[in-house]
Amino acid sequence: MSLLYKRVALIGLGLIASSIAHAIRRSEQVGEVVGYARSEATRETAREIGFCDQIAETLVDAVSGADLVILCVPIGAMGQLAAEIAPHLAQGATLSDVGSTKRAVIEAVRPHLSEHVHFIPAHPLAGTEQSGPRAGFAELFDNRWCLLTPLPGTDEAAKDKLVAFWRALGSNVDEMDPDHHDLVLAVTSHAPHLIAYTMVGVADDLGRVTDSEVVQYSAAGFRDFTRIAASDPTMWRDVFLSNKDATLEILGRFTEELFALQRAIRTGDGDHLHDYFTRTRAIRRGIIEAGQDTDAPDFGRGHG
Ligand code: NAP
């Protein structure tokens, strides 16, 4: 079987990069994987775990000779990194990323690149609330979607190769316009995260419920908010700063719906509440039918 890429460079060695490295090894479709992270501590941990074939000491060493380079750092760091690596990217190399928003990444990265590099932004819709090089695992992308947001005029062969790469990592792959991506993700991921952060913040502020009560009785919904609200603060700061318009639009709609539900509760409008919850239940069924979650009670958690 011929290899998809001879040398893949992963810049940043956190949850997503380490998962990519593990999944690449499982796929056996890449020659070698070189990793680089800014801190010596992360490079040392990555060496110790051994998910890359090589850990480079410099950014330039990492990208030199790579036919695929993937930026796996917080969105706010991508522009600066692109500026630093651009002069060292090989002729015909593909540069991609895994950022959770796409328009901001395109605006930050593209100006630094020359014509001879194929820039194809991507976003794997897979993650956990863990971060760092120890958090990665090979199955993270299995049966999850990876959205590519190619720019007009993107080289078809380079794109097909990146699609094959993500499929080899276990993902389903789709293409989307970058702005539409940002709106879809504002609904499915960014606004829900903000709501979880808020709910956990509210519980923390509420003097009448003690911290120990919140912890002890958290099973009824709150526990899932706390899992989401434990996500990496730097990554999520950058998500909101870089997807401002779409997130604010969705939060505006959310607030309107919340007021409507608030009014229904105050006026005792049970029909409104029942109709609303019936509609939302159907959405949950759709997610399960699409194979994107389990229908086991309580998300399949054991009750031992
Ligand atoms: P992570 O586990 O926190 O790892 C981030 C990596 O980026 C670390 O290696 C860190 O280096 C490096 N880094 C941080 N700030 C940097 C800077 N200013 N300059 C250079 N390097 C920097 O993060 P992650 O969860 O893998 O997320 C990486 C990207 O994936 C983000 O763009 C995020 O939007 C996207 N993403 C995340 C998820 C998710 O659920 N986590 C899902 C899909 C996409 P050091 O270790 O040396 O500090």
Side-chain angles (χ1 to χ4, degrees):
M1 188 169 49
S2 69
L3 295 174
L4 282 170
Y5 295 101
K6 289 205 288 289
R7 180 177 158 111
V8 173
L10 303 174
I11 308 304
L13 291 171
L15 165 72
I16 299 296
S18 57
S19 297
I20 292 175
H22 286 295
I24 287 178
R25 190 157 284 168
R26 187 186 63 173
S27 79
E28 299 182 345
Q29 295 199 43
V30 163
E32 63 168 343
V33 180
V34 186
Y36 172 79
R38 62 181 176 167
S39 71
E40 175 56 36
T42 300
R43 295 199 295 273
E44 211 31 67
T45 305
R47 263 190 210 107
E48 181 197 316
I49 304 170
F51 50 70
C52 291
D53 300 299
Q54 261 190 66
I55 299 296
E57 275 302 305
T58 70
L59 197 49
V60 174
D61 285 348
V63 302
S64 297
D67 43 1
L68 173 64
V69 175
I70 310 180
L71 302 177
C72 305
V73 298
I75 295 157
M78 289 193 186
Q80 177 62 34
L81 280 179
E84 288 175 39
I85 64 174
H88 307 281
L89 293 173
Q91 179 92 22
T94 293
L95 175 66
S96 190
D97 75 297
V98 293
S100 306
T101 69
K102 298 286 33 116
R103 176 56 64 192
V105 170
I106 291 169
E107 281 171 7
V109 170
R110 189 166 54 166
H112 303 292
L113 303 178
S114 69
E115 290 285 293
H116 69 258
V117 170
H118 305 297
F119 174 44
I120 311 175
H123 178 201
L125 307 190
T128 73
E129 65 281 16
Q130 310 288 336
S131 45
R134 294 192 190 281
F137 54 99
E139 298 77 22
L140 180 66
F141 309 109
D142 287 350
N143 198 31
R144 300 285 160 217
W145 285 94
C146 180
L147 299 176
L148 304 189
T149 61
L151 300 160
T154 297
D155 182 87
E156 286 294 321
K159 192 179 72 188
D160 290 348
K161 228 174 176 193
L162 193 63
V163 169
F165 172 80
W166 277 104
R167 290 207 172 117
L169 266 47
S171 284
N172 307 314
V173 183
D174 212 348
E175 272 182 48
M176 218 179 247
D177 166 79
D179 296 318
H180 189 63
H181 165 280
D182 289 356
L183 183 62
V184 170
L185 267 291
V187 179
T188 58
S189 171
H190 307 165
H193 269 82
L194 200 74
I195 293 159
Y197 281 124
T198 315
M199 199 53 231
V200 175
V202 167
D204 191 39
D205 282 349
L206 200 68
R208 277 173 295 155
V209 179
T210 64
D211 284 354
S212 64
E213 283 172 317
V214 168
V215 172
Q216 190 171 342
Y217 305 121
S218 69
F222 184 72
R223 187 175 55 182
D224 294 305
F225 281 124
T226 63
R227 185 184 60 73
I228 297 171
S231 301
D232 186 69
T234 306
M235 168 186 157
W236 283 95
R237 176 201 63 195
D238 286 6
V239 166
F240 293 115
L241 294 180
S242 69
N243 197 17
K244 191 171 163 178
D245 294 346
T247 311
L248 289 177
E249 183 187 333
I250 300 306
L251 287 174
R253 285 166 187 250
F254 173 81
T255 314
E256 283 173 23
E257 302 262 329
L258 193 63
F259 278 137
L261 289 173
Q262 206 175 327
R263 193 175 53 241
I265 293 169
R266 188 162 16 96
T267 60
D269 187 350
D271 287 347
H272 180 94
L273 296 174
H274 192 270
D275 289 352
Y276 202 91
F277 302 155
T278 303
R279 191 153 62 87
T280 54
R281 190 176 219 191
I283 293 173
R284 171 77 191 153
R285 265 192 231 114
I287 292 170
I288 290 158
E289 277 160 25
Q292 296 299 307
D293 206 348
T294 170
D295 65 350
D298 199 16
F299 306 96
R301 287 188 178 109
H303 291 275

